[in-house]
Amino acid sequence: MAGTAGSPGTPSVLRAMNDRAALDLLVAHGPLTRTRIGELTGLSKPTTSQILGRLEAAGLVRTTGSQTGRPGPNALLYEIRPDSAHVAALSADPTGITAVVADITGAERGRCRIEADAVAEDVRHRTAQLVAEATGGALRQAGLGPDDLTATVIGTPGAIDPRTGRLRYAPHLPGWHSRALRTELAEVLGTPVSIENDVNLAAIAEQYQGAAQDHDDFVLAYVDEGVGAAIVLGGTLLRGATGGAGEIGYMPLPGAPLARGGADVIAREDAGGGFQSLVAASAVRRLAGGTEDLAEALADATVLDEVARRLATGLAAVVAVVDPELVVLSGQVAQAGGEALRARVEEELTGLALPRPLLRISDLEGDPILTGALRTALTQARDTVFDTSNA
């Protein structure tokens, strides 16, 4: 009996699967000939020609010159049409919001930074407007408008509670705590918006082009003005029941005051206690007698040894529970300490009755949170735009 329309195995579904396979190859490899696409997919020349014809007609691919230097006629090269869709990626922090607009290939087309003190009274009720300003600035630089966006992803400290829609674990961003924030952002931007934890996005960046490319089980420890972690197991990001998996900054540790007040604890310089009160940037500066420059602070062997000991203590607790293949150290403190800090943390972990994961320092360039937000937005957009099943 023939399957119903759209069911697995029907011609329309098989065509859509073949279309997506060809598009994914063009995303991964750049321009390819029809012959090479056929070789990589295992499809016949006639089928490959039909695929490329459909994708050209749909405005998803175009020809871009021809391949030379081989015997016989020059073969046409096909590539993704960059203007077939655009996405926005944003990163929110205590001092402002950065927005990037990119085309469907991932090429950046516009960028805008809006400075805004997250705790200022006038900011509390202007969050959506500030996001719109940053996004609008990036869109104007790209020569685009809000209607050109297919997906928007915003990275922010804390985590959206899936049960309530509220941002938790980020008391220093009061303007982001509205229950209707996602709806408000979608209204001002004119496109659906995803709000994601900033450290989770940094982990996605590490998976895509950083230290975790070859690992499905790893922990990203982000040691910055605040401290958090992203936990990836079996290639899947662990979120937790309230979205708070990886909020290790609040983790109780010997020598640190307890972080009390629940997920809405008011942030102070010492973050209210927990792991981050021992290793966050402010704690490192205090250890160094108030030195502002973190690299200078960690150049002091005594400070470096103490920070490494504290980091190792917190990481040991995480490793004991998660047993990852790899731990990646990221954020300002990790970058300032570099290989010297990594080696000392590894030395502190040696000999403990625990699994021994690899330990690496992130070597990503630029803002890993923006990179992760962009990769997430591109994945969402491609899942929408590259789906030809309803064409």
Side-chain angles (χ1 to χ4, degrees), residues 46-65:
T47 300
T48 305
S49 294
Q50 291 170 5
I51 291 171
L52 291 171
R54 284 197 302 270
L55 296 178
E56 275 193 288
L60 294 175
V61 303
R62 67 185 183 187
T63 57
T64 174

Side-chain angles (χ1 to χ4, degrees), residues 30-254:
L32 295 170
T33 64
R34 181 195 64 181
T35 299
R36 185 58 179 151
I37 292 172
E39 290 172 351
L40 291 170
T41 59
L43 298 171
S44 68
K45 287 183 179 180
T47 300
T48 305
S49 294
Q50 291 170 5
I51 291 171
L52 291 171
R54 284 197 302 270
L55 296 178
E56 275 193 288
L60 294 175
V61 303
R62 67 185 183 187
T63 57
T64 174
S66 57
Q67 187 179 63
T68 60
R70 291 189 176 187
N74 293 338
L76 287 175
L77 287 165
Y78 293 85
E79 69 175 3
I80 299 290
R81 282 189 67 97
D83 59 356
S84 58
H86 295 85
V87 301
L90 295 93
S91 176
D93 58 66
T95 62
I97 299 170
T98 302
V100 167
V101 168
D103 64 36
I104 197 66
T105 70
E108 183 176 319
R109 300 301 182 192
R111 178 182 288 254
C112 181
R113 168 76 177 176
I114 299 293
E115 299 292 340
D117 185 344
V119 297
E121 285 298 324
D122 65 333
V123 168
R124 292 172 184 261
H125 308 294
R126 292 181 55 226
T127 299
Q129 286 72 28
L130 290 169
V131 169
E133 284 180 39
T135 307
L139 283 168
R140 284 190 297 274
Q141 192 178 99
L144 302 169
D147 292 343
D148 294 307
L149 291 177
T150 300
T152 300
V153 174
I154 302 175
T156 175
I160 294 289
D161 188 328
R163 301 172 303 181
T164 65
R166 290 190 64 189
L167 183 71
R168 307 182 73 202
Y169 309 101
H172 54 303
L173 297 179
W176 293 78
H177 291 184
S178 167
R179 289 177 182 271
L181 179 61
R182 212 168 351 211
T183 300
E184 295 167 4
L185 292 173
E187 287 176 353
V188 298
L189 294 177
T191 180
V193 175
S194 299
I195 302 174
E196 180 61 272
N197 172 261
D198 54 358
V199 181
N200 286 348
L201 292 175
I204 289 171
E206 293 290 348
Q207 280 184 299
Y208 171 69
Q209 62 185 46
Q213 287 182 80
D214 52 347
H215 293 272
D216 289 330
D217 296 274
F218 73 95
V219 170
L220 173 72
Y222 200 80
V223 190
D224 208 281
E225 299 298 339
V227 176
I231 301 167
V232 176
L233 298 176
T236 301
L237 191 64
L238 183 66
R239 298 181 180 277
T242 66
E247 290 292 341
I248 63 172
Y250 299 102
M251 183 170 62
L253 280 181

